[in-house]
Amino acid sequence: MCPDPANADYARAFVAGLLDEAVNVGASDVHLHRTGEGIWIRWRIDGVLQDVGTFSAGESSDVVTRLKV
């Protein structure tokens, strides 16, 4: 279940969930790209960059800002 983008705690919950899942699938790195729709996420597993999807950047708390902290 993806957290609500309008929630003030969205960025923290999203980043924690994303990194936990990346570890679970064995990703060696995670790529985030800003788009007009939000953030396009891909990760690398066994040397292959795989599309995860596009997600909201957040309304009251921003995912990219959370990662910079």
Side-chain angles (χ1 to χ4, degrees):
M1 181 171 145
C2 195
D4 179 7
N7 188 317
D9 199 35
Y10 173 76
R12 186 205 59 76
F14 186 88
V15 169
L18 174 64
L19 296 178
D20 283 346
E21 188 60 22
V23 169
N24 287 340
V25 298
S28 60
D29 51 281
V30 179
H31 297 249
L32 286 81
H33 305 275
R34 282 199 181 266
T35 69
E37 296 81 38
I39 299 175
W40 176 35
I41 299 176
R42 299 182 297 166
W43 52 36
R44 189 175 312 279
I45 300 173
D46 295 329
V48 179
L49 199 56
Q50 300 178 6
D51 188 33
V52 176
T54 301
F55 301 87
S56 173
E59 294 171 19
S60 61
S61 65
D62 184 70
V63 170
V64 173
T65 301
R66 174 67 183 179
L67 285 165
K68 289 179 179 180
V69 172

